[in-house]
Amino acid sequence: MPKITEQINELKISIENIRNQMNKIKIENTLLIDQQEHLVSEKSDLIKQNELAKNEIKSILERINNLETE
């Protein structure tokens, strides 16, 4: 009988370890999702800034070309 009790206790410990590991993984997953959302947002902002810079450079080049043709 003590053997069964010992096995049950080992199972309880194993289950508790698995629960703890699952909780750690859930927290890590949440943090990774938040980080991914932040990176996607940052990427979108950088793409917009890049487009604005391109348009500004095109505008400057057009003004330079207009000055040269005058």
Side-chain angles (χ1 to χ4, degrees), residues 7-45:
Q7 289 176 337
I8 290 174
N9 286 332
E10 288 176 2
L11 277 173
K12 286 179 182 181
I13 291 171
S14 292
I15 289 171
E16 187 61 31
N17 287 338
I18 290 170
R19 282 185 181 153
N20 290 336
Q21 191 65 23
M22 280 179 51
N23 286 335
K24 287 178 185 178
I25 290 171
K26 284 180 182 179
I27 290 169
E28 182 179 350
N29 189 41
T30 300
L31 292 172
L32 287 171
I33 289 170
D34 290 346
Q35 183 181 24
Q36 182 181 16
E37 288 173 355
H38 174 73
L39 290 172
V40 167
S41 175
E42 186 177 356
K43 179 181 178 183
S44 175
D45 291 343

Side-chain angles (χ1 to χ4, degrees), residues 41-52:
S41 175
E42 186 177 356
K43 179 181 178 183
S44 175
D45 291 343
L46 289 171
I47 289 171
K48 288 176 187 174
Q49 288 177 5
N50 189 30
E51 285 300 314
L52 289 173

